[in-house]
Coordinates of all heavy atoms in Angstrom, one line a residue:
L33 N 0.0 11.8 4.5 CA -0.8 10.9 5.3 C -2.2 11.6 5.5 O -2.2 12.7 6.0 CB -0.3 10.5 6.6 CG 1.1 9.8 6.6 CD1 1.6 9.5 8.0 CD2 1.2 8.6 5.7
D34 N -3.2 10.9 5.2 CA -4.5 11.6 5.3 C -5.4 10.9 6.4 O -5.6 9.7 6.4 CB -5.4 11.4 4.0 CG -6.8 12.0 4.1 OD1 -6.9 13.2 4.1 OD2 -7.7 11.2 4.2
G35 N -5.7 11.7 7.4 CA -6.6 11.2 8.5 C -5.9 10.8 9.8 O -4.7 10.4 9.8
P36 N -6.7 10.8 10.9 CA -6.2 10.4 12.2 C -5.7 9.0 12.2 O -4.7 8.8 13.0 CB -7.4 10.6 13.1 CG -8.3 11.6 12.4 CD -8.1 11.3 10.9
H37 N -6.3 8.1 11.6 CA -5.9 6.7 11.7 C -4.5 6.5 11.1 O -3.6 5.8 11.8 CB -6.9 5.7 10.9 CG -6.5 4.3 11.0 ND1 -7.0 3.5 12.0 CD2 -5.7 3.5 10.2 CE1 -6.4 2.2 11.8 NE2 -5.7 2.3 10.8
L38 N -4.2 7.0 10.0 CA -2.9 6.9 9.4 C -1.8 7.6 10.2 O -0.7 7.1 10.4 CB -2.8 7.5 7.9 CG -3.1 6.5 6.8 CD1 -3.0 7.2 5.5 CD2 -2.2 5.3 6.9
L39 N -2.1 8.8 10.8 CA -1.2 9.5 11.6 C -0.9 8.6 12.8 O 0.3 8.5 13.3 CB -1.7 10.8 12.0 CG -0.8 11.6 13.0 CD1 0.5 11.8 12.4 CD2 -1.5 13.0 13.3
Q40 N -1.9 8.0 13.4 CA -1.8 7.2 14.7 C -0.9 6.0 14.3 O 0.0 5.6 15.1 CB -3.1 6.7 15.2 CG -3.0 6.0 16.5 CD -2.5 6.7 17.6 OE1 -3.1 7.7 18.0 NE2 -1.4 6.3 18.2
A41 N -1.1 5.4 13.2 CA -0.3 4.3 12.7 C 1.2 4.7 12.6 O 2.1 3.9 12.9 CB -0.8 3.7 11.4
A42 N 1.4 5.8 12.0 CA 2.8 6.3 11.9 C 3.4 6.6 13.1 O 4.6 6.2 13.4 CB 2.8 7.6 11.0
L43 N 2.7 7.1 14.1 CA 3.2 7.4 15.4 C 3.6 6.1 16.2 O 4.6 6.0 16.9 CB 2.3 8.2 16.3 CG 2.0 9.6 15.8 CD1 0.9 10.3 16.6 CD2 3.3 10.5 16.0
E44 N 2.7 5.1 16.1 CA 3.0 3.8 16.7 C 4.2 3.1 16.2 O 4.8 2.4 17.0 CB 1.7 2.9 16.5 CG 0.5 3.4 17.3 CD -0.7 2.6 17.0 OE1 -0.6 1.6 16.2 OE2 -1.8 2.8 17.7
C45 N 4.5 3.4 14.9 CA 5.8 2.8 14.3 C 7.0 3.8 14.4 O 8.0 3.5 13.8 CB 5.5 2.3 13.0 SG 4.3 1.0 12.8
S46 N 6.8 4.9 15.0 CA 7.9 5.9 15.1 C 8.3 6.4 13.8 O 9.5 6.7 13.6 CB 9.0 5.4 16.0 OG 8.6 5.0 17.2
Y47 N 7.4 6.5 12.8 CA 7.7 7.0 11.5 C 7.9 8.6 11.7 O 7.0 9.3 12.2 CB 6.7 6.7 10.5 CG 7.3 6.8 9.1 CD1 7.7 5.6 8.4 CD2 7.3 7.9 8.3 CE1 8.2 5.7 7.1 CE2 7.8 8.0 7.1 CZ 8.3 6.9 6.5 OH 8.8 6.9 5.2
P48 N 9.0 9.1 11.2 CA 9.2 10.6 11.5 C 8.2 11.4 10.6 O 7.9 11.1 9.5 CB 10.6 10.8 11.0 CG 11.0 9.6 10.3 CD 10.2 8.5 10.6
L49 N 7.7 12.6 11.3 CA 6.8 13.4 10.6 C 7.5 14.7 10.3 O 8.4 15.2 11.1 CB 5.6 13.8 11.5 CG 4.8 12.6 12.1 CD1 3.8 13.1 13.0 CD2 4.2 11.7 11.0
L52 N 2.4 19.0 10.0 CA 1.0 18.6 10.1 C 0.1 19.8 9.6 O 0.5 20.9 9.7 CB 0.6 18.4 11.6 CG 1.3 17.2 12.3 CD1 0.9 17.2 13.8 CD2 0.8 15.9 11.7
A62 N -12.2 16.0 18.9 CA -11.4 15.4 20.0 C -10.3 14.5 19.5 O -9.2 14.5 20.1 CB -12.4 14.6 20.9
E63 N -10.5 13.7 18.5 CA -9.6 12.7 18.1 C -8.4 13.4 17.5 O -7.2 13.1 17.8 CB -10.2 11.7 17.0 CG -9.2 10.6 16.5 CD -9.9 9.7 15.5 OE1 -10.8 10.2 14.9 OE2 -9.4 8.6 15.3
I64 N -8.6 14.5 16.7 CA -7.5 15.2 16.1 C -6.7 16.0 17.1 O -5.5 16.0 17.2 CB -8.0 16.2 15.0 CG1 -8.5 15.3 13.8 CG2 -7.0 17.2 14.6 CD1 -9.1 16.1 12.7
A65 N -7.5 16.6 18.1 CA -6.8 17.4 19.2 C -5.9 16.5 20.0 O -4.8 16.9 20.3 CB -7.9 18.0 20.0
A66 N -6.3 15.2 20.3 CA -5.5 14.4 21.0 C -4.2 14.0 20.3 O -3.2 13.9 20.9 CB -6.3 13.1 21.3
L67 N -4.3 13.8 18.9 CA -3.2 13.5 18.2 C -2.2 14.6 18.1 O -0.9 14.5 18.2 CB -3.5 13.0 16.8 CG -4.2 11.6 16.6 CD1 -4.7 11.4 15.2 CD2 -3.1 10.6 17.0
L68 N -2.7 15.8 17.9 CA -1.8 17.0 17.9 C -1.1 17.2 19.2 O 0.1 17.6 19.3 CB -2.7 18.3 17.7 CG -3.4 18.4 16.3 CD1 -4.2 19.7 16.1 CD2 -2.3 18.2 15.1
H69 N -1.8 16.9 20.3 CA -1.2 17.0 21.7 C 0.0 15.9 21.8 O 1.0 16.2 22.3 CB -2.3 16.8 22.7 CG -1.6 16.8 24.1 ND1 -1.2 17.9 24.7 CD2 -1.4 15.7 25.0 CE1 -0.8 17.6 26.0 NE2 -0.8 16.3 26.1
E70 N -0.4 14.7 21.2 CA 0.6 13.6 21.3 C 1.9 14.0 20.5 O 3.0 13.6 20.9 CB 0.0 12.3 20.8 CG 0.9 11.1 20.9 CD 0.3 9.8 20.4 OE1 -1.0 9.9 20.2 OE2 0.9 8.9 20.2
V71 N 1.7 14.6 19.3 CA 2.9 15.0 18.5 C 3.7 16.0 19.2 O 4.9 16.0 19.1 CB 2.4 15.4 17.1 CG1 3.5 16.0 16.3 CG2 1.8 14.2 16.3
S95 N -10.5 14.7 5.6 CA -10.6 14.2 7.0 C -10.3 15.3 8.0 O -10.7 15.1 9.2 CB -9.5 13.1 7.2 OG -8.2 13.7 7.0
L97 N -7.2 16.4 8.7 CA -5.9 16.3 9.2 C -5.0 15.6 8.1 O -5.3 14.6 7.6 CB -5.9 15.4 10.5 CG -4.5 15.1 11.1 CD1 -3.9 16.4 11.6 CD2 -4.6 14.1 12.2
L98 N -3.9 16.3 7.9 CA -2.8 15.7 7.1 C -1.5 15.8 7.7 O -1.2 16.7 8.5 CB -2.7 16.6 5.7 CG -3.9 16.6 4.8 CD1 -3.7 17.6 3.6 CD2 -4.2 15.2 4.2
A99 N -0.6 14.8 7.4 CA 0.7 14.9 7.8 C 1.6 14.8 6.6 O 1.4 14.0 5.7 CB 1.0 13.7 8.8
I101 N 5.2 13.5 5.3 CA 6.3 12.5 5.6 C 7.3 12.5 4.4 O 6.9 12.7 3.3 CB 5.9 11.2 6.0 CG1 5.1 10.5 4.8 CG2 5.0 11.3 7.2 CD1 4.7 9.0 5.0
L158 N -1.9 4.9 0.4 CA -1.7 4.9 1.9 C -3.0 4.9 2.6 O -3.2 4.1 3.7 CB -1.0 6.2 2.2 CG 0.5 6.2 2.0 CD1 1.1 7.6 1.9 CD2 1.2 5.4 3.2
M162 N -4.3 1.6 5.3 CA -4.7 1.7 6.6 C -3.6 1.5 7.6 O -3.8 0.9 8.7 CB -5.9 0.9 7.0 CG -7.2 1.1 6.3 SD -7.9 2.7 6.8 CE -8.7 2.1 8.4
G163 N -2.3 1.9 7.2 CA -1.1 1.7 8.1 C -0.3 0.5 7.8 O 0.7 0.3 8.4
A164 N -0.7 -0.3 6.8 CA 0.0 -1.5 6.5 C 1.5 -1.1 6.0 O 2.4 -1.8 6.2 CB -0.7 -2.3 5.4
H165 N 1.6 0.1 5.4 CA 2.9 0.5 4.8 C 4.0 0.5 5.9 O 5.2 0.2 5.7 CB 2.8 1.9 4.2 CG 2.0 1.9 3.0 ND1 0.7 1.8 2.9 CD2 2.4 2.2 1.7 CE1 0.2 1.9 1.7 NE2 1.2 2.1 0.9
F166 N 3.6 0.7 7.1 CA 4.6 0.9 8.2 C 5.1 -0.4 8.8 O 6.0 -0.4 9.7 CB 4.0 1.9 9.3 CG 3.5 3.2 8.8 CD1 2.2 3.6 8.9 CD2 4.5 4.0 8.1 CE1 1.8 4.8 8.4 CE2 4.1 5.3 7.6 CZ 2.7 5.7 7.8
V167 N 4.5 -1.5 8.4 CA 4.9 -2.8 8.9 C 5.3 -3.7 7.8 O 5.7 -4.9 8.1 CB 3.8 -3.5 9.7 CG1 3.5 -2.5 11.0 CG2 2.5 -3.7 8.9

Side-chain angles (χ1 to χ4, degrees):
L33 304 180
D34 175 75
H37 180 90
L38 268 183
L39 178 56
Q40 184 65 59
L43 292 173
E44 290 174 357
C45 296
S46 300
Y47 201 95
L49 307 176
L52 296 172
E63 184 179 21
I64 292 177
L67 285 171
L68 296 179
H69 177 75
E70 182 178 350
V71 172
S95 65
L97 179 66
L98 295 173
I101 62 169
L158 279 159
M162 297 290 284
H165 291 71
F166 303 121
V167 297

